[in-house]
Amino acid sequence: MPARLRAGDQARVASTGLRARPLRAALSALGIAIGTTAIVAVLGLSASSQAGLLAEIDRLGTNLLTAKTGQSFTQVAAVMPVAAPGRVSRLGSVEEVAHTGTVGDAKVYRSPLILRVNTNGLKVQAASLNLPRVAGAGVARGRWLNEGTATQPAVVLGAAAAARLGISRVYPGQRVWLDGQWFYVAGILTPATLAPDVDTSALVGYPAARRYLGHTSMIRGQPADGPPSTLYVRAQPDAVGAVQSVLAQTTNPEAPNEVNVSQPSDALTARAAAKGAFNSLFLGLGVVALLVGAVGVANIMIISVLERRSEIGLRRALGATRGQIRTQFLSEAIMLAVLGGVVGVAAGALATAVYAAVKGWTVVIPAEAWAGGIGSAIVIGAIAGLIPALRAARLSPTEALRTA
């Protein structure tokens, strides 16, 4: 009768080789660990990034539309009608409209000593008082414009504009050189994810733009806010498509082709898709590392069979069957791969948690990431250990003991 081994005894026998040579086992599992780490980290970071993006979209809303001036048929810059904000606000599904108007060639500098060519890509815009609320930008420092400061030489800087000017705080008497005169800094905005033009602008009130910067327009002989260049429109969430389809015609009925309408939240979705394109590359690198690790495991197992001929021969002489020898070495290879897989999953999860915490994302590690990492390690261990296990099982007791 062939000898029988319980599952626990079989596992203990299979782990003998790993416990006898721990350093070699660790180095052999390293390739598996690196590949699994890459797979778990890529999937985890992708899921965490997606969760962060969805949270950002939920916070900012997908119901923001923008209408910007484009070009006419003669390839000159188009001008948006002054009455456009009022017309758009009367649409039934529109909740609120804010607008900005580019103030000619006005530029903003830290001081009059800066060369005029060093504009840092910043522009000056007149803004309606409800702009931060509609565009989804908060006030990081100081205050936003009000009915009083909008008439004075006061400016609020977008987040990128403040960074490029080297201004990180607001204090009494702080000034910037704007179109040849001093303007007092009233505040700094938080990044406007859905309105990048706001980020790179110095924002003043329309009355101040008329009074100090010459931004004027006349409607029936009365000074108005001036021609806007961008409208920010908050529509009802279930009517965004309907508003988008008529926004250009409503903004400029005489030349709707001169108005560019977009939904800024689409840019966030496109950014997520662009990031996803790199996931395949990193997953491919992880698979390559797993294959390298599989070759290492197979090599170590073949060497182990050659080194342990006497053990194989002695066990066969004492009654061990070919199946038990085959199971011993196959289990040892799988244990080696699983060891690397567990270490890799832990390392990948840790990397995901640290990076997501730095970015302020919710830590998300999909089940397919860690389950796939462990599962692929088991499969690779089984494949890598199959040939060495078959070679060990084919050895006869006399041959094994004679060549030991």
Side-chain angles (χ1 to χ4, degrees), residues 64-324:
L64 178 65
L65 299 171
T66 62
K68 297 183 178 181
T69 53
Q71 289 185 330
S72 64
F73 283 118
T74 58
Q75 299 302 308
V76 298
V79 177
M80 188 178 294
V82 177
R87 278 199 297 263
V88 173
S89 64
R90 286 192 289 272
L91 290 175
S93 300
V94 170
E95 296 177 345
E96 195 169 7
V97 179
H99 50 93
T100 59
T102 302
V103 183
D105 296 327
K107 303 297 180 183
V108 58
Y109 304 92
R110 184 66 184 267
S111 79
L113 302 179
I114 305 297
L115 296 177
R116 293 189 62 84
V117 294
N118 297 332
T119 64
N120 274 320
L122 305 180
K123 54 189 174 183
V124 179
Q125 294 197 88
S128 59
L129 297 183
N130 61 342
L131 177 65
R133 182 173 64 251
V134 178
V139 179
R141 300 284 188 276
R143 298 179 179 275
W144 174 245
L145 301 171
N146 55 40
E147 293 183 357
T149 56
T151 64
Q152 302 302 315
V155 61
V156 175
L157 302 175
R164 294 176 192 176
L165 291 172
I167 298 175
S168 59
R169 60 190 183 93
V170 177
Y171 56 84
Q174 187 178 36
R175 303 180 299 178
V176 292
W177 188 250
L178 197 155
D179 197 35
Q181 54 195 305
W182 288 110
F183 269 63
Y184 290 91
V185 178
I188 300 174
L189 298 179
T190 59
T193 306
L194 298 182
D197 284 348
V198 173
D199 274 351
T200 57
S201 296
L203 303 163
V204 300
Y206 275 101
R210 289 197 305 268
R211 181 176 179 182
Y212 298 100
L213 306 176
H215 185 68
T216 60
S217 181
M218 302 293 288
I219 299 180
R220 295 180 182 177
Q222 299 297 322
D225 276 351
S229 56
T230 303
L231 301 184
Y232 298 94
V233 181
R234 286 286 179 181
Q236 294 177 1
D238 57 348
V240 174
V243 173
Q244 187 173 9
S245 64
V246 299
L247 186 55
Q249 294 88 334
T250 307
T251 300
N252 192 349
E254 296 180 358
N257 58 291
E258 297 178 359
V259 180
N260 298 325
V261 176
S262 63
Q263 187 173 2
S265 59
D266 290 343
L268 296 180
T269 306
R271 188 175 67 187
K275 289 182 178 179
F278 290 99
N279 289 347
S280 300
L281 173 62
F282 288 114
L283 285 175
L285 294 176
V287 171
V288 171
L290 283 176
L291 293 177
V292 172
V295 173
V297 170
N299 184 50
I300 290 300
M301 293 307 301
I302 290 175
I303 294 175
S304 180
V305 170
L306 295 176
E307 290 179 344
R308 297 161 63 184
R309 283 174 173 269
S310 57
E311 175 191 337
I312 296 171
L314 182 59
R315 288 200 62 208
R316 288 299 309 279
L318 294 176
T321 63
R322 291 179 181 272
Q324 291 170 349

